[in-house]
């Protein structure tokens, strides 16, 4: 159990809730002081979860013993947690054991077959640490020849640090979305692999590079963002407006990342021109 991480997660989720979004009977219990900050009070969360205020305060102060599954379920309901956030809460509280070591080098044969069948759709597969473990020829033609990179640099975060200013950017209104998405994925991965030193090194590396990542990390957000808008600057095809879709591969912790464009758009026409026939790594 990570008491400090659990305390921080509970506090961040409590502060993210707004009293206006809660039932009138759930907030403003009689006798409470005037509200000075946004978010629910500890007393209100405790009342919603059916636990004592002193116990909930100890949870947020990293002083309480491990909460039971019943208490975690009640807290998840009180804080309106998503399924991903409930799983993260259970991992931080020690109700779900840490996962085995990340497989950093390979993807199952089925993933390679899927990438091949995607043809002109640029796609790659990433693991928990954002390492790119498989890709297709269209992704090489769109982004970079991953096979020519050292293994430790085949990583979406490290590529963002290395190429972000020249390869891609975010459309207006989407600035920082990729960094915050990366923070959410790595936060969740940290709960699954709490002893993984490589993950900690990656977090520190990106935090030193990107303030949006720092903000996302501190918010303790673990909610996945399945789609991002990207503006990619291709040396031959010009500027492309793309959607970066992320799909979890069933039965694994791997994610499939695909780049698509709006149908019949100039970017879709350009994508159709990409690359030589597919070859799997």
């Amino acid at each position: 159990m990570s008491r400090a991480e659990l305390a921080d997660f509970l506090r961040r989720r409590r502060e993210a809730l707004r009293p206006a979004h809660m039932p009138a009977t759930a907030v403003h219990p009689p006798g409470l002081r005037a509200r000075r900050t946004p978010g629910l009070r500890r007393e209100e969360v405790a009342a919603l979860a059916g636990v004592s205020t002193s116990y909930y305060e100890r949870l947020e102060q990293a002083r309480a013993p491990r909460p039971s599954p019943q208490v975690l379920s009640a807290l998840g309901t009180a804080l309106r947690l998503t399924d991903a956030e409930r799983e993260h809460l259970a991992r931080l509280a020690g109700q779900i054991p840490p996962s085995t070591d990340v497989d950093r080098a390979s993807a199952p044969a089925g993933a390679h077959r899927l990438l091949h069948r995607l043809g002109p759709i640029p796609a790659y597969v990433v693991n928990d640490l954002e390492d790119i473990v498989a890709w297709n020829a269209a992704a090489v033609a769109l982004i970079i020849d991953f096979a020519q990179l050292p293994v430790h640099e085949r990583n979406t975060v490290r590529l963002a640090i290395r190429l972000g200013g020249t390869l891609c950017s975010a459309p207006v209104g989407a600035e920082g979305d990729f960094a915050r998405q990366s923070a959410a994925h790595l936060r969740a991965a940290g709960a699954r692999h709490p002893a993984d030193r490589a993950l900690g090194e990656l977090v520190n590396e990106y935090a030193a590079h990107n303030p949006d990542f720092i903000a996302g990390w501190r918010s303790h957000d673990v909610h996945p963002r399945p789609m991002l808008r990207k503006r990619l600057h291709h040396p031959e095809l010009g500027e492309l407006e793309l959607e970066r879709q992320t799909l979890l591969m069933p039965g694994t912790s791997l994610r499939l990342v695909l780049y698509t464009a709006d149908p019949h758009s100039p970017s879709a026409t350009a994508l159709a021109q990409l690359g030589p026939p597919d070859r799997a790594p």
Side-chain angles (χ1 to χ4, degrees):
M1 172 177 169
S2 174
R3 285 188 173 88
E5 290 286 295
L6 176 63
D8 188 49
F9 179 71
L10 291 173
R11 179 173 61 84
R12 299 287 185 177
R13 297 284 71 76
R14 174 177 60 81
E15 291 175 347
L17 287 176
R18 294 294 176 265
H21 299 157
M22 307 298 291
T25 56
V27 295
H28 307 298
L32 284 183
R33 62 191 180 279
R35 194 178 303 278
R36 296 180 180 178
T37 59
L40 295 186
R41 301 184 181 96
R42 291 173 176 172
E43 299 95 324
E44 292 169 334
V45 172
L48 287 166
V51 299
S52 71
T53 298
S54 62
Y55 174 72
Y56 183 77
E57 287 177 344
R58 291 199 302 275
L59 280 175
E60 282 203 11
Q61 294 165 355
R63 296 189 298 110
R66 176 184 297 182
S68 68
Q70 293 79 12
V71 168
L72 292 179
S73 178
L75 289 172
T77 300
L79 294 170
R80 295 192 169 188
L81 301 185
T82 65
D83 289 343
E85 290 169 336
R86 284 176 180 267
E87 178 183 338
H88 188 67
L89 176 65
R91 288 187 183 278
L92 293 180
Q95 296 294 344
I96 301 177
S99 300
T100 56
D101 291 341
V102 179
D103 185 351
R104 293 183 172 83
S106 63
H112 290 281
R113 289 194 295 269
L114 174 60
L115 289 168
H116 178 76
R117 290 169 182 167
L118 288 172
I121 300 175
Y124 52 78
V125 174
V126 296
N127 65 14
D128 267 354
L129 270 68
E130 302 296 326
D131 296 323
I132 300 168
V133 295
W135 57 88
N136 63 11
V140 170
L142 179 69
I143 304 170
I144 197 171
D145 189 349
F146 304 107
Q148 299 302 312
L149 296 174
V151 172
H152 76 280
E153 290 188 16
R154 296 174 194 167
N155 180 282
T156 63
V157 168
R158 291 195 170 98
L159 284 175
I161 295 172
R162 174 178 170 179
L163 302 174
T166 58
L167 176 67
C168 63
S169 60
V172 176
E175 297 86 354
D177 281 0
F178 174 81
R180 287 188 288 271
Q181 182 195 56
S182 297
H185 283 306
L186 292 177
R187 263 291 190 187
R192 290 191 292 269
H193 310 282
D196 197 298
R197 295 179 61 183
L199 191 149
E201 292 170 1
L202 185 64
V203 168
N204 291 336
E205 189 175 339
Y206 203 21
H209 170 80
N210 193 301
D212 290 311
F213 178 85
I214 296 175
W217 183 264
R218 288 176 176 169
S219 75
H220 225 303
D221 180 21
V222 295
H223 189 67
R225 294 172 176 82
M227 192 277 287
L228 298 176
R229 300 288 300 184
K230 301 286 287 185
R231 179 179 290 122
L232 192 139
H233 315 290
H234 194 274
E236 298 175 3
L237 303 178
E239 189 169 284
L240 306 176
E241 295 283 346
L242 303 175
E243 287 187 355
R244 183 182 188 269
Q245 304 276 355
T246 303
L247 306 173
L248 181 65
M249 301 188 70
T252 76
S253 62
L254 300 173
R255 285 169 281 122
L256 176 68
V257 180
L258 308 97
Y259 288 83
T260 60
D262 294 334
H264 311 299
S265 66
S267 295
T269 301
L271 281 183
Q273 304 171 17
L274 274 180
D278 194 13
R279 62 182 189 279

